[in-house]
């Protein structure tokens, strides 16, 4: 009898051990095509229904955001603002207004190295057709570039581009902004840990079921494979974004044309090949990575550090530089980047 | 030496009580449940990747029902995603092995004649990396 009792006891114990895992946290992951890229949301939850509901809300809201902010859609608020340039102010949604004020704020803090009004020139670079604007086109359009010519009225929530022909392209901040919004939604839905990746603009919070932060790799700018990374770091309640000359480019007569346009010259920025910025908000990491790339010098790292962010830079000699602050978090898999871009 | 060992084991077995066996049973259960829980930590496969001739043409969510047509070297393959499963509905290949494979919710369907590969995975990248900033 005693023996039977003991066996029953141990079976119950085993059952309890097994069943308690039903309530344990799991990782759920979903990807969708949005904002001309792949958006991947990874959440930690003990319930598939909760994870699904939260992810549904995120994708729903990002779709809505895309319809407001898409530079290429004729019906987006961005296009309406651009079409009204030099004519009249346009009243916009909170989403668009907040994004544009954030963009302006970062332009001011980076002395114009990040500037969404460069859209009037940057849209003339076509990386599929491999075409670029002529020097005379650039010189003609440069006077239309300048964030100070974008008026924002916080009372009326309207936006006015002072000169006819001006164009804003918020592509350099939208993805990060979307990642921030996605994190807000997931937190409001009670998700205790998640990783949102809007293309390369990534924000994570909380810990995975294994008790670790989110492991993010930084793309090797000269490795053409999808998975090639030169460094990894563990993100804990942080965002990271990367700007590089390899993302969209073509080579013409030995000259590299890439998509990060210096608002002061109207031409692709020179000096660096990859910049990653790490810090609390993805809208900031996104825009600051562009700003630092445009600044084009390793010394620019101080500009992002002054704003409470850190950076990892690969210069055009392949040397890697990073903020002192990242020393403990960052694991370099390569100590130097080599190779060249192939068209 | 060996004889001595055998003697020891015999002596040990003699001294084994039902409680020892119970402990052994308990330890086996604990390690088994560990294995099961490990499986739960793995992300659920939710990303459908469709490749033609080694080139990725679609990355779709397994949670969103839809049908897509893929042009391969010998014709059009039709892939259907429904109820968190995926299958090949139509294929220009002679044997229709890919269609016969039916619905999958993990793993892959390969149509060799039309060079189409449909994979259900987590979208997880290599080496325990959760995402890549590029």
């Amino acid at each position: 009898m005693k023996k039977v009792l003991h066996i029953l006891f141990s079976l119950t114990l085993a059952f309890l051990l097994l069943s308690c895992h039903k309530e344990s946290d799991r990782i759920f992951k979903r990807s969708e095509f949005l904002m001309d890229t792949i958006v991947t949301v990874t959440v930690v939850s003990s319930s598939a229904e909760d994870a699904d509901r939260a992810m549904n809300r995120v994708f729903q809201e990002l779709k809505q955001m895309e319809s407001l902010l898409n530079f290429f859609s004729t019906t987006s608020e961005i296009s309406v603002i651009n079409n009204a340039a030099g004519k009249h102010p346009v009243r916009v949604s909170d989403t668009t207004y907040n994004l544009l004020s954030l963009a302006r704020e970062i332009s001011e803090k980076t002395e114009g190295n990040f500037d969404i009004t460069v859209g009037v020139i940057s849209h003339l670079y076509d990386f599929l057709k491999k075409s670029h604007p002529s020097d005379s086109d650039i010189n003609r359009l440069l006077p239309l570039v300048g964030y100070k010519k974008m008026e924002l009225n916080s009372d009326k929530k309207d936006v006015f581009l002072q000169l006819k022909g001006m164009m804003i392209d918020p592509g350099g901040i939208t993805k990060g902004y979307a990642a921030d919004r996605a994190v807000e939604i997931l937190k409001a839905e009670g998700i205790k840990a998640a990783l949102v990746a809007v293309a390369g603009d990534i924000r994570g919070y909380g810990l995975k079921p294994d008790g670790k932060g989110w492991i993010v790799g930084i793309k090797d700018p000269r490795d053409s494979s999808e998975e090639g990374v030169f460094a990894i770091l563990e993100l804990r309640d942080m965002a990271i974004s990367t700007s590089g000359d390899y993302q969209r480019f073509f080579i013409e007569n030995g000259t590299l044309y890439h998509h990060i346009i210096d608002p002061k010259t109207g031409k692709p920025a020179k000096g660096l090949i990859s910049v990653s910025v790490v810090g609390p908000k993805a809208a900031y990491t996104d825009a600051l990575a562009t700003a630092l790339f445009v600044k084009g010098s390793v010394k620019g790292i101080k500009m992002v550090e002054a704003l409470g962010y850190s950076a990892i830079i690969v210069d055009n000699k392949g040397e890697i530089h990073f903020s002192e602050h990242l020393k403990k978090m960052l694991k370099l898999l390569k100590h130097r980047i080599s190779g060249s871009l192939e068209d | 030496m060996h004889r001595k060992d055998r003697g020891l084991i015999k002596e040990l077995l003699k001294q084994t009580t039902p409680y020892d066996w119970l402990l052994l049973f308990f330890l086996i259960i604990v390690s088994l449940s560990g294995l099961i829980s490990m499986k739960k930590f793995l992300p659920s496969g939710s990303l459908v990747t469709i490749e033609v001739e080694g080139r990725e043409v679609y990355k779709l969510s397994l949670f969103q029902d839809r049908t897509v047509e893929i042009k391969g070297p010998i014709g059009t393959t039709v892939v259907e995603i429904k109820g968190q499963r995926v299958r090949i509905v139509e294929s220009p290949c002679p044997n229709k092995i890919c269609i016969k494979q039916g619905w999958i919710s993990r793993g892959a369907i390969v149509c060799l004649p039309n060079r189409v590969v449909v994979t259900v995975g987590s979208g997880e990248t290599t080496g325990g990396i959760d995402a890549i900033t590029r």
Side-chain angles (χ1 to χ4, degrees), chain B:
Chain B
M1 192 70 182
H2 280 295
R3 206 169 286 167
K4 209 178 172 187
D5 272 355
R6 243 176 260 158
L8 262 172
I9 291 168
K10 263 188 187 168
E11 189 61 29
L12 266 173
L13 281 172
K14 233 186 239 171
Q15 285 177 11
T16 312
T17 64
Y19 296 105
D20 292 323
W21 291 110
L22 214 75
L23 183 67
L24 187 68
F25 176 70
F26 174 72
L27 287 174
I28 290 169
I29 292 292
V30 166
S31 46
L32 275 178
S33 66
L35 268 177
I36 291 165
S37 65
M38 275 287 285
K39 231 180 173 182
K40 295 209 168 191
F41 282 144
L42 294 172
S44 58
S46 61
L47 194 69
V48 179
T49 312
I50 305 173
E51 289 169 69
V52 180
E53 295 186 295
R55 196 169 43 87
E56 194 179 292
V57 287
Y58 277 105
K59 240 182 187 166
L60 303 166
S61 166
L62 193 63
F63 297 95
Q64 214 172 24
D65 295 353
R66 65 180 292 184
T67 304
V68 290
E69 291 185 359
I70 299 110
K71 289 210 165 45
I74 61 161
T76 305
T77 301
V78 180
V79 178
E80 184 186 13
I81 302 172
K82 200 174 177 183
Q84 297 178 27
R85 293 181 307 166
V86 60
R87 68 168 175 176
I88 290 183
V89 195
E90 277 174 42
S91 174
C93 59
N95 297 325
K96 315 280 184 215
I97 297 172
C98 53
I99 299 178
K100 284 175 199 153
Q101 203 178 331
W103 292 104
I104 62 161
S105 55
R106 62 183 65 202
I109 307 175
V110 181
C111 176
L112 219 50
N114 208 22
R115 301 274 186 268
V116 174
V117 181
V118 179
T119 326
V120 184
S122 58
E124 193 82 351
T125 50
T126 49
I129 294 176
D130 298 304
I132 295 178
T133 174
R134 54 184 85 232

Side-chain angles (χ1 to χ4, degrees), chain A residues 46-57:
Chain A
S46 57
S47 137
E49 288 78 33
D50 289 352
D52 228 27
R53 194 185 56 239
M55 290 194 284
N56 282 343
R57 255 200 78 194

Side-chain angles (χ1 to χ4, degrees), chain A residues 21-181:
Chain A
H21 283 292
K22 267 192 179 156
E23 295 303 316
S24 67
D25 288 332
R26 293 164 63 189
I27 291 179
F28 298 88
K29 194 167 185 170
R30 199 197 293 181
S31 296
E32 282 191 26
F33 271 104
L34 271 175
M35 303 179 158
D36 296 322
T37 189
I38 294 177
V39 179
T40 303
V41 178
T42 312
V43 304
V44 175
S45 175
S46 57
S47 137
E49 288 78 33
D50 289 352
D52 228 27
R53 194 185 56 239
M55 290 194 284
N56 282 343
R57 255 200 78 194
V58 167
F59 284 113
Q60 207 179 343
E61 182 134 345
L62 295 195
K63 267 175 209 159
Q64 205 184 346
M65 199 183 261
E66 181 186 24
S67 68
L68 294 171
L69 304 173
N70 190 345
F71 176 79
F72 299 100
S73 151
T74 50
T75 55
S76 71
E77 288 191 334
I78 296 301
S79 289
V80 177
I81 295 168
N82 287 339
N83 290 332
K87 295 177 204 160
H88 57 83
V90 176
R91 200 186 145 83
V92 293
S93 62
D94 284 352
T95 300
T96 305
Y97 190 86
N98 293 341
L99 174 87
L100 296 181
S101 16
L102 204 55
R104 206 193 139 102
E105 186 187 313
I106 299 172
S107 295
E108 280 161 6
K109 287 178 176 168
T110 61
E111 295 155 351
N113 283 303
F114 174 76
D115 192 334
I116 59 171
T117 62
V118 77
V120 67
I121 295 176
S122 60
H123 90 282
L124 297 175
Y125 288 85
D126 191 323
F127 298 95
L128 284 174
K129 291 184 188 150
K130 301 185 179 184
S131 65
H132 58 85
S134 65
D135 283 0
S136 65
D137 283 341
I138 293 173
N139 291 333
R140 185 171 49 82
L141 296 171
L142 268 178
L144 299 178
V145 178
Y147 66 92
K148 287 176 184 161
K149 296 171 204 136
M150 174 177 76
E151 288 177 21
L152 296 172
N153 186 325
S154 59
D155 295 329
K156 292 183 186 163
K157 288 272 165 69
D158 66 24
V159 187
F160 178 51
L161 303 179
Q162 288 173 348
L163 306 174
K164 193 168 180 284
M166 273 182 79
M167 252 185 211
I168 49 170
D169 177 4
I173 188 169
T174 307
K175 293 185 179 79
Y177 185 69
D180 285 339
R181 182 69 194 120

Side-chain angles (χ1 to χ4, degrees), chain A residues 150-328:
Chain A
M150 174 177 76
E151 288 177 21
L152 296 172
N153 186 325
S154 59
D155 295 329
K156 292 183 186 163
K157 288 272 165 69
D158 66 24
V159 187
F160 178 51
L161 303 179
Q162 288 173 348
L163 306 174
K164 193 168 180 284
M166 273 182 79
M167 252 185 211
I168 49 170
D169 177 4
I173 188 169
T174 307
K175 293 185 179 79
Y177 185 69
D180 285 339
R181 182 69 194 120
V183 164
E184 259 175 46
I185 294 168
L186 293 170
K187 282 183 175 171
E189 285 286 331
I191 299 293
K192 53 187 171 188
L195 184 73
V196 177
V198 183
D201 298 297
I202 299 164
R203 184 164 160 192
Y205 71 92
L207 301 175
K208 289 188 284 184
D210 63 5
K212 286 184 183 157
W214 301 97
I215 309 296
V216 176
I218 304 175
K219 176 85 173 70
D220 179 337
R222 292 296 177 263
D223 182 338
S224 57
S225 76
E226 276 289 296
E227 319 270 289
V229 296
F230 75 89
I232 51 173
L233 76 167
E234 194 180 326
L235 277 194
R236 294 191 177 205
D237 302 315
M238 287 270 195
I240 185 166
S241 297
T242 298
S243 281
D245 63 359
Y246 56 91
Q247 292 158 332
R248 270 179 286 152
F249 72 95
F250 63 89
I251 296 165
E252 187 190 82
N253 302 326
T255 307
L256 171 71
Y257 292 89
H258 62 78
H259 76 296
I260 306 164
I261 307 301
D262 184 338
K264 292 180 183 77
T265 63
K267 291 183 178 174
K270 284 179 182 164
L272 307 174
I273 63 176
S274 169
V275 170
S276 302
V277 173
V278 184
K281 291 228 163 129
Y284 264 83
T285 57
D286 191 0
L288 289 177
T290 306
L292 186 46
F293 194 100
V294 166
K295 195 145 170 105
S297 138
V298 176
K299 285 178 192 157
I301 219 164
K302 288 200 171 66
M303 173 179 80
V304 300
E305 285 173 350
L307 299 171
Y309 285 73
S310 309
I312 303 120
I313 295 178
V314 183
D315 67 22
N316 54 11
K317 292 185 192 81
E319 287 190 29
I320 303 163
H321 313 260
F322 54 87
S323 301
E324 189 68 25
H325 186 67
L326 294 174
K327 216 170 185 174
K328 281 186 186 154

